[in-house]
Amino acid sequence: MLGLGFQVEGWVVMLVLMAVAQVAVIYGEFFEPFNVSYDHRALILGGQRRMLISAGIHYPRATPDMWPGLIAKSKEGGADVIETYVFWSGHEPSRGQYYFEERYDIVKFVKLVGANGLYLLLRIGPYVCAEWNFGGFPVWLRDVPDIEFRTDNAPFKDEMQRFAKKIVDLMKEENLFSWQGGPIILTQIENEYGNVQGSYGQSGERYMKWAAGMALGLGAGVPWIMCRQTDAPEAIINSCNAFYCDGFKPNSYRKPVIWTEDWNGWYANWGDRLPHRPVEDNAFAIARFFQRGGSFHNYYMYFGGTNFERTAGGPLQITSYNYDAPIDEYGILNQPKWGHLKDLHKAIKLCEPALVAVDDSPLYVKLGRRQEAHVYSSEQIDTNSTLPGNIGTCAAFLANIDEHKSASVKIFGKVYNLPPWSVSILPDCKTVAFNTAKTEAQVSIKTVESGSPSLSNATEAADLLFHDNYFAPLKSWMASKEPIGLWNKNSFSAKGILEHLNVTKDTSDYLWYITSVNISAEDVLYWKEKGILPLLKINSMRDVVRIFVNGELAGSKVGHWLRLEQHVQLVEGDNQLALLSETVGLQNYGAFIEKDGAGFRGPIKLTGFRNYGSLDLTKFLWTYQVGLKGEAAKYYAPEEQENVDWVDLQLGAPSAFIWYKTYFDAPEGSDPVAIDLGSMGKGFAWINGHGLGRYWSLVAPKSGCPKTCDYRGTYKESKCVTNCGQLTQSWYHIPREWLQDSNNLLVIFEETGGNPLKISLKTHYTKTICAKVSENDYPPLNSWWHPNIVSGKKSVSDVPPEIHLRCDDGHVISGITFASFGNSGGSCQKFSVGHCHASSSLSVVQKACLGKNKCKVSVSNATFGKDPCRGTLKSLAVEAECTSSSNFYDFHAPNLWQYQKTVEESRESFSASA
């Protein structure tokens, strides 16, 4: 018994130690403390030069439940580092009142990064741009007396230093810098200040130098960077932000080449087309960067996420911040972008020993008019001769920068074929491991695309529609009318036109300007005789204004500081004129953004009077009402529902300036959820009190979208746009974290008119996956690390290529809809069998893939039993369907014996054909 007691106690002790170890991994020191320094070649981590790949993730654009998966997928994709801005407006919503909870729990986010064994680039700013409301500045900052942003201004510098110190001190308190065993290896002060510095004259230069000195004095203990700052002081590394940075050089030989923002996508505005950057071009730009001496590369963005609540910048930027990133805003892999870039990262890592070994510039070789090579070698080599068998560390990059023509080049006695606008990477200076233009990664077709048009059908039932057989009975839709104009005794009156933000403090998008205009019978008769209407003129307005006369909408306008002229119908006597000024994201970029403001500028006049021409309404007494009644009363909050005057929705009732609510049950499973609001006009949506963000059903122009996107040539954000003639955004992300199993409260404020009965929900996942790999494509990059390859017992060239297929987490391959080893034609969802086709193709792929989350198939004659057509270059093309693993096994479990029998018959068929 005594022995047993000791045994039980030992297990308890072991469990305790395991728990302590687990907590230490998550919340303690993540690394042995190490110092970070740098030289002209690279960052030096713990005494070792490193070539680093960084993935941009903004923690508030996801929910905490999403963070672990995003970080893990970034690491699996080849990232060494996670990059994020720090969002001042979220962390200090009121001066001196800090917030570090929920989506703004930056400490938790940084610790999760460290727990995954990744480093962190912390871009404190505190100006961040980021298409974030007001560039990340809290709006209260405008009200600090005598303040001017981002210049040699004492009030601004005091506030900026206070916040930057708060963040650095918080990171130190949590032991999150590298020298404390934490993941933070780099910090950034300011952001793209060089773009606007000239606007501030000498004060701008003084401010920049002050910001650098202030940052260095905070005691972070890791290097500081400034992006797009060509005159950064010697102790600060200046870095590049652009679509291409292969030609960038820092302003001192002592500094490494760092690419802070590789714009692998772009943002969209309401009413715009959707930008996309081809992955072949993105890979080309990155390979060129490392080829020409780069050492640290960061994706902006690797995960874009969602502008929840009112965080979208402006003016007029959409709620989705998908950014055509390798991971979409729901957390699902964006293929082939994620997979192709993962292969690129592996190829770069294979070259890292050579890249860090060369202390100065690589060997440059001109291979043709628009072809060149850069060779990194630990010893002298002759590029005109065959490499010796005992060559040491050596890696080569062969580039063809011709936008149209392929090229054959010769180096080290071998000939290499280079597609146009591509880079081939040779980790051993002999064998091509990767070419940026040859994509072997799968293509994924998802159930939801951000800008796809509404798929809902009209219905007279008061139910929320579910796609893909998801349907939940709901309580009836209910509605509550939003007043036009005054709704609260807290309104106030003042002479003249007040600046919008000075009144609202950005607590709401909306501000009512209300006045009264007395019209004589003589003027009414004059307008009738002339057949005219008086004209309201506003000298300048932003972003949206809606004009109401006597409670009726008379007109509206959208734009950024545009002139407005609107005819209005006035009656004899007093007329109420109500102007609703709306912001759609505050200015996030440029000099003097604190002076941009919102609302109206210049005179507001009413013209067309018989005797005196016009009335200058600017001098009138105006009454101001901030926000909406439903906002102030929190119609969207679950706990406030009994206090709202909801009534059953009447079909055909007015649908503008109205609140809607309903309840729904969450779709089963764990897939992300999207809501289609394409049937609505403009407004806001909330789920269980959480703000999904603004919605607006504006349609992109019908023209300007190419039928095909050519990756070749210099990219710009307007090059490969899609979505012409469709809504800029129809689907909106509902994080699973915000849902409960049943009775989820959906509240919508509709401003312009829409049909809530057409709103629908859909789970977002990868539904169809395709891949096509040729037998002369490159071997899988993992084979380079195989012991037989490393030892030289086997050549990597002897390893056949592989096709890789993968469904989302929690999903399996449920069906193979096409499989052909031969010379099939077409592309994903349009594959066709060619004259050369191995009869065993389908059975082989089914055997390898059915019922699995991911699978691989070797692309070789041996895999399919025999060569189906000698002398013909063959490819394996596969199209498969994914479904949730629970649904798949629930369906197959009763008939599992039959399923296994089918697999066995496939095996026998394969053996017979072999």
Side-chain angles (χ1 to χ4, degrees), residues 138 193 207:
Y193 188 66
Y207 164 73

Side-chain angles (χ1 to χ4, degrees), residues 509-522:
D509 279 3
Y510 303 99
L511 176 62
W512 289 100
Y513 294 70
I514 306 164
T515 194
S516 180
V517 181
N518 188 271
I519 300 299
S520 68
E522 181 182 11

Side-chain angles (χ1 to χ4, degrees), residues 549-598:
V549 177
N550 299 321
E552 298 295 327
L553 181 66
S556 61
K557 195 174 185 69
V558 177
H560 189 68
W561 298 126
L562 298 181
R563 183 176 178 81
L564 179 148
E565 294 188 356
Q566 175 67 50
H567 289 286
V568 293
Q569 181 82 51
L570 301 175
V571 299
E572 181 182 349
D574 284 335
N575 291 260
Q576 185 192 72
L577 175 64
L579 306 179
L580 180 60
S581 170
E582 306 175 21
T583 55
V584 186
L586 301 184
Q587 190 78 17
N588 59 262
Y589 179 76
F592 310 111
I593 64 171
E594 76 277 15
K595 294 179 173 60
D596 184 63

Side-chain angles (χ1 to χ4, degrees), residues 130-161:
E131 289 72 60
W132 190 268
N133 192 52
F134 210 36
F137 287 130
V139 174
W140 59 257
L141 198 63
R142 299 173 77 246
D143 298 328
V144 174
D146 302 318
I147 198 165
E148 290 183 69
F149 289 11
R150 304 179 76 194
T151 188
D152 188 17
N153 172 267
F156 177 77
K157 291 192 296 185
D158 288 347
E159 296 295 337
M160 174 178 169
Q161 181 171 0

Side-chain angles (χ1 to χ4, degrees), residues 811-815 849-852 883-894 896 899:
H811 289 249
V812 295
I813 297 170
S814 56
C849 299
L850 276 181
K852 297 180 181 178
T883 191
S884 73
S885 54
S886 58
N887 289 346
F888 178 81
Y889 291 117
D890 286 347
F891 176 78
H892 284 295
L896 191 58
Y899 179 68

